[in-house]
């Protein structure tokens, strides 16, 4: 059975973070919008969030790791191989995290 059917977002997703990242991450309509990309695949995610900044993103990643929930990072959803869809938590980076602020080749970091 896919993880999306075994785990309800309310069991692993704290309300304060949901408020910061997205109005309703488990809303059926929102989940349906993120169930496809440019490929022929359709996978309904358990939840969708759109972090507002890198601190929100770090919190999302940490909480998902603690709960063992798979993450799918999503940009424009233009993948033709199904890379932008998944059964766990879809993280929409295209809404608020839309540019590169700093690039440090020595530290090998981008923010």
């Amino acid at each position: 059975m896919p993880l999306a059917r075994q785990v309800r977002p309310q069991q692993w997703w704290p309300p304060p973070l949901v408020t910061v990242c997205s109005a309703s991450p488990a809303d059926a309509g929102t989940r349906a919008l993120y169930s496809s990309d440019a490929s022929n695949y359709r996978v309904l995610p358990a939840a969708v969030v759109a972090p507002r900044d890198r601190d929100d993103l770090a919190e999302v990643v940490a909480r998902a790791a603690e709960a063992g929930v798979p993450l799918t990072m999503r940009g424009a959803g233009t993948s033709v191989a199904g890379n932008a869809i998944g059964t766990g938590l879809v993280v929409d980076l295209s809404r608020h995290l839309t540019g590169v602020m700093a690039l440090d080749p020595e530290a090998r970091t981008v923010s």
Side-chain angles (χ1 to χ4, degrees):
M1 183 177 282
L3 181 63
R5 293 176 193 209
Q6 294 175 344
V7 179
R8 292 186 178 150
Q10 296 81 3
Q11 294 173 331
W12 50 266
W13 202 250
L17 194 57
V18 167
T19 304
V20 169
C21 293
S22 177
S24 183
D27 171 79
T30 300
R31 292 171 54 224
L33 288 173
Y34 286 87
S35 69
S36 65
D37 57 9
S39 71
N40 288 328
Y41 302 107
R42 302 293 177 262
V43 177
L44 192 64
V48 177
V49 293
R52 295 187 186 281
D53 56 34
R54 67 183 187 182
D55 292 333
D56 282 355
L57 179 58
E59 182 79 11
V60 166
V61 171
R63 296 223 181 237
E66 284 174 18
V69 175
L71 287 178
T72 300
M73 298 298 177
R74 184 179 175 113
T78 58
S79 167
V80 295
N83 302 358
I85 55 177
T87 60
L89 179 64
V90 171
V91 182
D92 182 354
L93 302 175
S94 69
R95 271 191 152 160
H96 306 291
L97 300 172
T98 59
V100 174
M101 306 302 282
L103 177 65
D104 185 346
E106 288 184 27
R108 301 181 90 180
T109 61
V110 178
S111 58

